[in-house]
Amino acid sequence: MSHFRLFPDVILIEGSCKGALYFLTEGRVIQLGELESRIMSQLRIASIESACNDFDQIAVNKLIQSLVEDALGTIYSEDVYSESYIPNMPFELRGYLEPILIIEELSIELYPTDPYKIWTTNPKVVFQGCNSCIPTENPVKKDFLDTERLCSEIQSTAELEIKNATLHIGDLRNHENDIVSVIEILRKAHPEIDVGITTYPEEISDKTISLLKKIPNLQVTISFNAEVVEILSVLTQTCNSLSNAGIPVTLDAIFPHQDDVNRYSVVKDFATNFGYQLRTTEIIHSSTEYIYSIDRGKSRIEKTDSDAFYAKQRYSICQYGKLAINAYGEIGCCLFGKKTGSLERGIYDWLSNNEHRKGWESPKRCAGVCESCENRFACVDCALIEQISKTEPDFLKTICAYNPFSGIWEM
Amino acid sequence: MRPFVESFETRDKHKYIYDVETGTVVPDNDVLSLVIKKIGEDKKDPEISNELNRDFPKTIVEATLKFVRRWQAAYGGFLRNTSVLGHSHAVSEAAVYQEYDMGATYLMVLNLTENCNFRCKYCYLSEEYRFTRNRTESKMNFETAKEAIDRYFSYLERIKKKIPNKKAGITFYGGEPLLEFPLIKMIVNYCREKEPVPIVFNMTSNGYLLNDEISKFIVQNNIHLAISLDGSKANHDRNRVMPHGIGSFETVLKNIRKFMQAYPDYHDIGIISVFDVRTDLRENVRFFEENKLPRIFFISEVASSNTDYYDRFSREDFDKYNQTYEELLEEYIRAKQSGERISNYLEMFFEAPLSMTIIRLRAKDAKSKLVPYTNTCVPGMKISVRADGTYDICERINATFPVGDVEHGINTKAVCEVIDEYNKAVTKDCKNCTAVKNCPLCFAYTNGDRCFSIPDNFCKRWRKQQLMKLSAIYTILEKNSHAFDLLQNSLENSFAFNA
Ligand code: SF4
Ligand code: SF4
Ligand code: SF4
């Protein structure tokens, strides 16, 4: 009897219909066909000879031959045990031996406004809203958090390690001085921190630029409505002014999906021409109208090395390390997700009650349809969609065309 | 490049390679070990292929060569460059401070009394062991305890700003801590009032004084209680005796039962069981099966360093013990392979020592720069406070390495000296050792009179034991790949905090 075993840096993940090989050392995810997947599952528990009995012998031998030729596995004459490479011991230190807490990204919403009338369209999800300055809820309330209160709370985090902070600002022009003082406090409490602001192009006047220019190492993200035809000329002007002032720019294209014309390529070309990094935010209204997200295809599957693979088993990649405070002083992992704390009770209270873990530790493998998908450790999304797709499985279709039950990309 | 691997076989004679750097075990079809060996002889790939293609299929040789090369390049596995090995340098006080600043300290051990109402024959704190203190009348007063706790709490207050979920513990130790029950009450009440982070209390007791009042207090304050019980009456009373040599079994067992009757839902009580070569292991397996007792926290062997304790046993004692050990090990392996229920004693007896090998350190697990080898703790993770207020790095270390006191706090200079001494004497050869990922040689294991030393032949023996353990573990895993899933959870929980 002979047995096929994958090398320890190659891991078979089985989906409902098909499987994928995660080649950790090269970061590649190799999609298997349906038959190949069934053969691989069988080889896991039985000899090559028995797989040849159960499946077409030629197919079995061809598969094994190609896996060996690609140096993904090898053959043994005994039924040996094989294990996967793991970078760390398979458990986390908690409680007594809890390590220092690191906040990778602190997001703060300030003075929200809704110039693109997004909230009047009753959105179901603001998909990857964290890239934008879209209000986290309909900004009818005006009792915004006052900056003094915010600054004192930021001061109290001085001992925490916070790596980046982004201020998501709606009405920047009327609050420039407040914003500057928030940034100053952030830098004072965390001298190493990287700070960015995200705002609408309409908010950036010459006066604003001259003020922003005085803040060292500031990253500005312009969050614009990609479905407004004349937007590119406005953007060109704003980006040029910011660049001339030496302020680095990132773009966030908001797709309100008011019609079904896909303007992604236009925006993408614009960003590429100017050498700007482009992020997106999409407004998804319903799972039944199927206004599809701009990137539903195979490109969702990312390079996945061992660190990414194991991180995705344990954490929500988009929420991990995040702490967000909205304009009303509510605290959560993500500005658009559930808020379970408040500035009134304080950031420490929220953290020491382990509220952050609820968001950080909700990996994709636990999310509805994705649980049955072999790509679940290779594709990244907005956890909001994952949350909704637990209760409304159909919702996932809007952002991902893969049907793990049929193994088909239903574009 | 030299191979940095070990080889072992399972009971079915299947071959495996243990890759030290990554901690990964890889099955060996002979091609793998030969490829590693030949790369270690500085042969080039075409030469290796030519040599191996004579005996093995070409595709298998090529695949294995590619795998070994990429494994080496990506994870530093299988082979390593011997010239890049570093040496351990003297540690600086700043480095020690930095470690504490990262929140390393998590436990304070209060040695409430140096006295004991028992005269256990293997007691570490007795004439039986060289360089350790013996029983005295000395006991801690509340002022000393308070000073120690205040210092500890002010540290925790600072650390919780960086680690909002920091948890910490206080252990009551002795001698027999229950001789000082009024002091325990005062300390617990004081702590509950002042604790800056949630504090778990632990106590190790011989159980003799456990009465209704004490039991109630333990439960009310959720004190994790470990009671020493060596097993059956014969096994227990052979060593755990009171003055005048009277066995303590009956009273201790009665007290445990009474506690369980009164508080059947209290789960933070467990047993610590000690054995030596004359312990009748089978009788203990039966004893713990037949008696409904709290779960066993751990089973440990009477320590063999700095003592002549084992001289009392004959060759026959050792042979008999070894034979029973082997038989029980095979029983344990068979049961684990088939997923059968295993008695608590047998499971703890074998699984606890195996657990360090099962959950071994991996390539990216951070090790403290202060003690880069072995699995020892970092001095200062624990602070053990003697009855007179002197600090030690561990309650198991002898009295020749004080590192401060309640009045002045931790003396980082003294800590540096202890670490340097240890690194010089104990870890000088560790960088080439294949057992470095799970070596238990800690400060307490190696301390002598103001010095550290490796017990005779330890390293060779330990490396051999590692291979035996790996063989047992993979013999089990070959038949039951989920055999140790629960262990992983229970280890994670044991560090977590369940006050
Ligand atoms: S979103 Fe879910 S179903 Fe789609 S590819 Fe990713 S894991 Fe699979
Ligand atoms: S769930 Fe994740 S991707 Fe979605 S908005 Fe929040 S942080 Fe961004
Ligand atoms: S067994 Fe010896 S050489 Fe090996 S790590 Fe332990 S102390 Fe060092």
Side-chain angles (χ1 to χ4, degrees), chain B residues 6 19 59 147 202 211 222 285 325 376 381 396 440 466 481:
Chain B
E6 287 277 15
D19 175 35
T59 48
E147 259 184 284
N202 311 288
N211 59 24
N222 201 15
V285 172
Y325 178 93
T376 187
M381 286 172 94
R396 302 277 304 166
Q466 283 322 289
S481 58

Side-chain angles (χ1 to χ4, degrees), chain B residues 124 130-132 386 392 396-401 447-449:
Chain B
Y124 185 65
R130 291 181 283 278
F131 320 127
T132 60
R386 293 185 208 166
D392 291 310
R396 302 277 304 166
I397 202 164
N398 68 39
T400 66
F401 299 97
N447 65 163
D449 190 9

Side-chain angles (χ1 to χ4, degrees), chain B residues 34-49:
Chain B
L34 285 169
V35 165
I36 294 171
K37 182 166 165 272
K38 286 178 192 292
I39 295 178
E41 291 162 0
D42 293 329
K43 293 189 174 159
K44 299 279 169 285
D45 289 6
E47 193 183 353
I48 298 173
S49 299

